[in-house]
Amino acid sequence: MKGNNPSVLRLILRVLQGVLIGVGAVLPGISGGVLCVVFGIYKPVMELLSDPFHKFKTHVPKLLPVILGGGIGFLGVAKILAFFLETYPDPSVCLFIGLITGMLPSLFREAGEKGRPKASWAALVIAFAVILALLLSLNLFSVTIAPNFGWYLFCGFCLALSVIAPGMSFSTLLMPLGLYTPFVDGLGSLDFSVLIPAGIGAVITVIALAKAVDALFDHFYPLAFHAIIGIVIAATIMIIPFGTFAVTPVAAVVNVVCILVGIAAALALDRFNQSIPVSED
């Protein structure tokens, strides 16, 4: 019996890691891909996604506990998030802003793991400027996006991208477009009109981009990661509810407290992540 204990504990650890990855995938500011890197399973995950037919037998048994845990964490948190986003929209968004802000130090640390050439800063600035200009244009021309099959396909694309591109949180792109709340609500309610197109979008993205993104990070890691940081910063600026800070002093204080709580929670999670030894086995 004693000989089986390490295997059971290892299985439980993998499931818990999957739960955290699932939570990280749905929470704004926390990237499921980054947590895969932290837990030492990013490489086997990308190998499986890049070549599922040949890697299925060797990789799925090892990753199955993580996959199951990921589903539990993702769907469980989605339901809770949907409630808070509908009931307390501005404080919830401010909490997410804090989470994103608190994760920036770890993103910068991850981005510099393979050096930080001058071109990486250029990639950050260009990505920031392009995304900020795009989102400002959407606001300026009062473009309203009504969630439908096509936009939920896009949500699935962003969701898959948050796994295969470390540092990219799918909420980063969806929140400024007003798609995050209906998407998370649909996931938490197991709404098939949301799940089906999102699943199709995610599968197409994995098939089309997994190998390309893997190669991009292999050959241009600093540039790709810094570009993601630029996207994250630009999108975060666009979701700050500036107007609510001026409504009442109480609302302003609540929003500030939520931002600070988010920052503290993200920094605590980063400290926890750093305490876990990375293993690729």
Side-chain angles (χ1 to χ4, degrees):
M1 188 73 179
K2 286 184 178 179
N4 292 331
N5 284 341
S7 299
V8 173
L9 290 174
R10 188 176 191 79
L11 179 65
I12 294 172
L13 177 61
R14 285 300 194 192
V15 173
L16 290 175
Q17 288 176 342
V19 170
L20 287 174
I21 290 169
V23 170
V26 71
L27 276 178
I30 303 175
S31 164
V34 165
L35 291 178
C36 285
V37 173
V38 169
F39 294 140
I41 60 172
Y42 179 74
K43 184 177 179 182
V45 166
M46 289 306 298
E47 287 173 349
L48 176 62
L49 293 178
S50 300
D51 192 6
F53 295 107
H54 292 96
K55 302 293 185 183
F56 188 88
K57 286 185 178 180
T58 56
H59 286 54
V60 167
K62 181 170 64 175
L63 293 173
L64 187 58
V66 179
I67 295 170
L68 292 174
I72 294 169
F74 187 89
L75 294 177
V77 172
K79 188 71 175 177
I80 297 170
L81 278 182
F83 168 78
F84 279 101
L85 282 166
E86 290 178 2
T87 312
Y88 310 103
D90 290 332
S92 297
V93 169
C94 287
L95 180 65
F96 300 155
I97 291 168
L99 285 170
I100 296 168
T101 304
M103 287 298 290
L104 285 177
S106 68
L107 288 181
F108 272 103
R109 187 175 62 250
E110 294 285 347
E113 277 198 348
K114 297 185 179 180
R116 216 183 293 272
K118 291 181 180 179
S120 63
W121 293 108
L124 187 155
V125 172
I126 292 171
F128 171 83
V130 169
I131 296 300
L132 189 63
L134 175 62
L135 295 175
L136 283 173
S137 299
L138 290 174
N139 280 359
L140 183 64
F141 294 106
S142 300
V143 177
T144 54
I145 293 175
N148 54 30
F149 189 92
W151 280 112
Y152 286 132
L153 279 174
F154 175 73
C155 291
F157 159 78
C158 293
L159 176 58
L161 195 63
S162 71
V163 175
I164 63 180
M168 176 63 74
S169 173
F170 80 90
S171 60
T172 299
L173 296 176
L174 299 190
M175 290 189 82
L177 299 176
L179 291 170
Y180 183 76
T181 299
F183 181 52
V184 168
D185 189 26
L187 293 176
S189 304
L190 296 180
D191 184 346
F192 285 97
S193 66
V194 176
L195 291 174
I196 291 174
I200 293 172
V203 170
I204 292 174
T205 302
V206 168
I207 293 173
L209 295 181
K211 287 186 177 180
V213 171
D214 196 26
L216 179 67
F217 274 87
D218 274 345
H219 297 95
F220 304 101
Y221 183 91
L223 275 69
F225 220 125
H226 282 80
I228 285 175
I229 292 175
I231 294 171
V232 169
I233 295 173
T236 303
I237 290 174
M238 292 302 301
I239 65 172
I240 298 174
F242 291 105
T244 61
F245 283 89
V247 175
T248 64
V250 174
V253 170
V254 170
N255 289 343
V256 170
V257 168
C258 288
I259 291 173
L260 294 176
V261 169
I263 292 173
L267 292 175
L269 177 62
D270 182 38
R271 213 172 293 119
F272 169 73
N273 288 340
Q274 292 185 72
S275 70
I276 299 176
V278 175
S279 170
E280 290 288 353
D281 55 4

